[in-house]
Amino acid sequence: MLTKPLGTGILSTALKMDILSEKALKMATKSMSTLNKRASEIMVKMGVHACTDVTGFGLAGHASHLIQEGELGIEFRLDS
């Protein structure tokens, strides 16, 4: 379950290069300043027992670390 849109790292890099639009900056700032309280409540209710922050290492990198020691897999539902 992703609680926020991916891509704020790329937008941060664009900001440093002074090529980020004002609209994208506002969207990124809103996303990054929104707390994860509601998302955490939903995950607890659903019985989630593992969670990771996707920043810095990317979704695929974090997903691979979640499953590397076990016999489980990960399914990405890109349409939901």
Side-chain angles (χ1 to χ4, degrees):
M1 171 191 305
L2 295 176
T3 62
K4 295 182 181 180
L6 297 175
T8 54
I10 293 169
L11 296 177
S12 295
T13 300
L15 177 62
K16 293 173 195 170
M17 297 174 65
D18 200 28
I19 59 173
L20 187 65
S21 72
E22 193 65 33
K23 180 180 178 183
L25 176 59
K26 285 180 183 178
M27 290 171 44
T29 302
K30 181 178 179 185
S31 175
M32 288 187 278
S33 62
T34 301
L35 297 177
N36 290 318
K37 182 179 186 301
R38 181 71 182 126
S40 68
E41 292 169 346
I42 292 169
M43 288 191 286
V44 167
K45 188 175 182 177
M46 293 178 66
V48 172
H49 56 84
C51 182
T52 187
D53 179 322
V54 181
T55 56
F57 200 51
L59 178 61
H62 281 289
S64 69
H65 280 268
L66 284 172
I67 62 169
Q68 71 183 5
E69 298 297 324
E71 296 180 18
L72 299 174
I74 288 184
E75 177 181 325
F76 294 104
R77 296 181 182 174
L78 302 177
D79 60 341
S80 61

